[in-house]
Amino acid sequence: MTITISHLQPIIAIAAGILILIAPRLLNYIVAIYLIAVGLIGLGVLRPFT
């Protein structure tokens, strides 16, 4: 089985949700990192990870 970004998204979402519940101040950083990563993947900069 090949694991791609589409397989990792639900796991990342669960981990981010747990982190936000534990430390709500992390919300800004988690959202910012997620948006930057999605933008870079969308532009093809992180092509090896898709």
Side-chain angles (χ1 to χ4, degrees), residues 4-5 7 10-12 14 24-26 32-33 36 38-40 45 47-48:
T4 63
I5 293 296
H7 293 108
I11 296 169
I12 293 170
I14 291 170
R25 290 184 179 180
L26 289 176
I33 291 169
I36 290 169
V38 168
L40 290 174
V45 174
R47 179 93 23 178

Side-chain angles (χ1 to χ4, degrees), residues 2-49:
T2 304
I3 296 176
T4 63
I5 293 296
S6 63
H7 293 108
L8 292 177
Q9 284 179 338
I11 296 169
I12 293 170
I14 291 170
I18 291 170
L19 286 173
I20 291 168
L21 286 174
I22 293 171
R25 290 184 179 180
L26 289 176
L27 177 61
N28 292 335
Y29 297 110
I30 292 171
V31 170
I33 291 169
Y34 176 77
L35 290 174
I36 290 169
V38 168
L40 290 174
I41 291 169
L43 289 173
V45 174
L46 299 177
R47 179 93 23 178
F49 298 109

